[in-house]
Amino acid sequence: MKGPMMADGRGGPGSRLRDMTAKHERPQDTGKTIARIFSYWKEHWSWLVIMLVSSLCEVFCTLMAPILIGKAIDNCIDLSNMTVDFTKLNVIVIMLLMLYISSSWFSWVQQYGMTNVSLKIAKKIRTQMMDKMLEQDIHFYDEHTRGDLMSRFTNDVELMKSGLGDSFIQLFNTIFTLAGTVVAMVALSPSLTVVCCMSIPVVFMMTNIISKQTRKFFSSQQVSLGQLNGLVEESVSGIKMVRSFGIEQQQIDKFNSINEELRKSGVKAQIYSGLLMPLMRVLENIIYIIVAVLGGIMATSTDMTVFGIGIATITVGTIQSFLLYTKQFLRPINQVASQFNAVQSAIAGAERIFTILDTKPTITNKPDAVTLKEETVKGDIVFDHVSFGYEPGKLILKDISFTAKQDEVIAIVGTTGAGKTTIINLLTRFYDINSGSIKVDGIDIRDITKESLRDQMGIVLQVPFLFSDTVNYNVSYGWSSATQEEIINASKAANAHNFIERLPQGYDSEILRGGENISNGQKQLLTIARAILVETPILVFDEATSNIDTRTEILIQKAINNLTKGRTSFVIAHRLSTIKNADKILVMHEGRIAEQGKHEELLAKKGRYFEIYNSQFVVD
């Protein structure tokens, strides 16, 4: 089966469903989302070990530097005489230089490893999303705009990748740096360490309060971005329609409305998340001042007690080391705060990605489903009391029964919304019926694997779809191993060979996006050639001649006549002149088969078909 098929008679439920999806999407459990993000690391455990070791080494180098600086002040500088022991100082300077170089090297190793792994994870997620979207049912695309899906596929994956890289490195460094710094600070001065640790509950309280608001607005921001992408995609794809009806201003107004919602969500998210970093800096400066004042008092006092507890005096070098540790103590928390926006965006993006990955197709294969083999399929089809509705309680087809045998052409006619295309949607099992049964060669299609069922069907849609590739690629799309001779023979049978030969590079000519560089009739001839090449036992023509000129219609009609020989064929047509020779004509009216029979029989009844035929004759 090639390409999606639009259903008729729904009264436009797709747009309503998309609006509902956009408005009611909610964040999932943050803890589960984070755990799921890091579950992708399992297959990259070797890099995880390397980054873990590099992080430990970087933290060790970072922690050793303040100690050496303190030693330089206490052992190399005589403050009373204002003299410097350059021999000892030079050794310490060289050691510091080595520590800083080593720290930078280990930091680079972490960054390289994180970038390498995050790109691999992003690649895996994109692959999973592509696989998931290709296996989804058609109604899945009724509920999501293409722009929203593209936003999840690109923006959300990129946000997740960036947040994953930054936050993962910060996680390692924060844990190790905090643990090592606290140990060093306790060794230098337990009393000053207690003062610094008093800031931790304050930090967690501020983060918790701010994150509750920020998460909501970042998720809303991503939803608005998806809606905006959807509108832009629709406006660009339908630019001719927009221009034809002069609704540029209407599109601009809709764009401005969604764009304003995106701005509001973004501003609110930035306002709340932006509070954290300034508050952290204020807290850092307060702690720094307190430590400096208390340290100065402790360095100048010989006998100091607090609440009856004796406080040991410390040296100037120790104060300097402790002040550096104070910065290191708060720096990891500050770094987490600075990455807070990215982390929140990554979590919001990950939730939207996982929503897609967790969406399961409703139309699935049974464990014991039969696989159809093309060489054994006759193509005898039976609709037995079939009823169906796209929405609960709203039936589009009501008690439909008919048979189609091999080598028969079944034409389906009726007014717009009567349920013509819906019959084909059910035959291809794009949707499952509500009641009744549809059988192919006596087997219920629900007992057949949907892949093998669709492999037996070639479809030519009303609006032909071509890929941005060569003519050869487009004709052989359903059979990539076809030879050049087979492609040419199929094109000749479809009456497409002559116009292909007139293209600049013939069969190697590039088709622009959507086939914009050839006419509608030529596009249709290529899709018919595609259907001829795959040689399926069941064929469907969904108003294949409705949008072309009379001369091209004659060519296409000849191609269809060649193609239907020996196959079970369904032809949906508005122009009744194209289906006069059909073996059976189904006249649809308000979801039911009002009449069925041959052209002459139906005219003789002077019923619904007679009215439609005469109305077209009068119009002609």
Side-chain angles (χ1 to χ4, degrees), residues 320-613:
Q320 180 60 41
S321 296
F322 201 94
L323 287 173
L324 292 174
Y325 280 127
T326 300
K327 287 285 187 180
Q328 288 188 8
F329 175 75
L330 294 174
R331 186 185 305 155
I333 304 176
N334 283 343
Q335 288 172 339
V336 171
S338 67
Q339 294 297 325
F340 193 67
N341 293 5
V343 172
Q344 292 297 311
S345 295
I347 293 174
E351 289 177 352
R352 283 163 49 81
I353 290 170
F354 295 149
T355 298
I356 297 296
L357 296 181
D358 292 338
T359 301
K360 296 181 180 180
T362 56
I363 301 176
T364 57
N365 295 327
K366 293 181 178 179
D368 57 347
V370 177
T371 300
L372 294 180
K373 302 294 184 182
E374 185 173 331
E375 57 271 15
T376 61
V377 175
K378 292 175 58 180
D380 291 341
I381 297 169
V382 177
F383 273 62
D384 186 14
H385 299 287
V386 171
S387 295
F388 170 76
Y390 292 102
E391 298 179 58
K394 296 181 180 180
L395 291 181
I396 300 300
L397 296 182
K398 305 163 189 175
D399 197 29
I400 299 296
S401 296
F402 68 88
T403 61
K405 297 185 178 297
Q406 184 182 22
D407 204 28
E408 282 189 344
V409 175
I410 309 298
I412 307 175
V413 301
T415 57
T416 300
K420 302 185 298 297
T421 301
T422 300
I423 290 177
I424 304 305
N425 283 339
L426 297 181
L427 176 61
T428 53
R429 212 182 166 208
F430 284 159
Y431 299 86
D432 268 342
I433 61 178
N434 293 8
S435 63
S437 67
I438 303 173
K439 295 180 180 179
V440 174
D441 291 349
I443 306 172
D444 194 307
I445 61 172
R446 289 168 292 191
D447 297 326
I448 302 171
T449 61
K450 56 185 180 181
E451 295 81 11
S452 68
L453 174 67
R454 293 166 187 167
D455 282 344
Q456 312 313 314
M457 301 181 187
I459 289 191
V460 179
L461 299 174
Q462 177 182 6
V463 180
F465 183 85
L466 298 178
F467 297 90
S468 301
D469 212 302
T470 64
V471 171
N472 274 327
Y473 177 85
N474 276 282
V475 173
S476 64
Y477 182 73
W479 186 16
S480 57
S481 60
T483 65
Q484 187 65 46
E485 182 181 0
E486 289 169 330
I487 293 173
I488 293 174
N489 289 338
S491 300
K492 287 180 178 179
N495 292 302
H497 179 71
N498 290 336
F499 96 80
I500 295 174
E501 286 289 289
R502 292 195 299 269
L503 295 175
Q505 284 82 40
Y507 283 84
D508 291 323
S509 298
E510 291 285 334
I511 301 296
L512 299 181
R513 182 179 179 273
E516 295 177 357
N517 57 333
I518 58 177
S519 69
N520 283 334
Q522 291 171 334
K523 285 189 286 187
Q524 198 66 286
L525 290 174
L526 289 180
T527 60
I528 292 175
R530 180 192 297 166
I532 291 174
L533 185 63
V534 295
E535 296 184 343
T536 56
I538 302 171
L539 295 172
V540 174
F541 299 91
D542 188 357
E543 301 186 36
T545 63
S546 61
N547 294 320
I548 55 178
D549 60 87
T550 304
R551 182 176 178 277
T552 306
E553 180 184 351
I554 294 173
L555 293 176
I556 290 178
Q557 196 61 50
K558 289 180 179 179
I560 291 176
N561 292 337
N562 292 333
L563 187 55
T564 57
K565 294 177 181 178
R567 297 177 171 86
T568 307
S569 304
F570 292 84
V571 179
I572 299 175
H574 275 305
R575 298 180 185 178
L576 302 189
S577 58
T578 63
I579 47 94
K580 287 182 179 180
N581 298 323
D583 297 288
K584 185 183 296 182
I585 299 173
L586 306 179
V587 184
M588 300 295 299
H589 179 63
E590 295 182 352
R592 299 182 184 274
I593 298 179
E595 299 171 330
Q596 60 178 302
K598 289 181 175 293
H599 174 72
E600 294 80 6
E601 296 172 353
L602 294 175
L603 286 180
K605 288 182 179 180
K606 296 187 177 181
R608 189 76 188 169
Y609 183 81
F610 180 81
E611 293 176 2
I612 297 174
Y613 184 81

Side-chain angles (χ1 to χ4, degrees), residues 7 12 41 63 67 108 182 186 220 225 371 375 421 461 478 506:
W41 275 89
L63 293 176
I67 294 176
W108 179 84
V182 169
V186 169
S220 177
L225 184 60
T371 300
E375 57 271 15
T421 301
L461 299 174

Side-chain angles (χ1 to χ4, degrees), residues 75-91:
N75 300 335
C76 303
I77 301 175
D78 188 345
L79 296 177
S80 59
N81 298 322
M82 299 303 294
T83 58
V84 179
D85 186 342
F86 285 101
T87 301
K88 293 181 179 180
L89 184 61
N90 288 338
V91 173

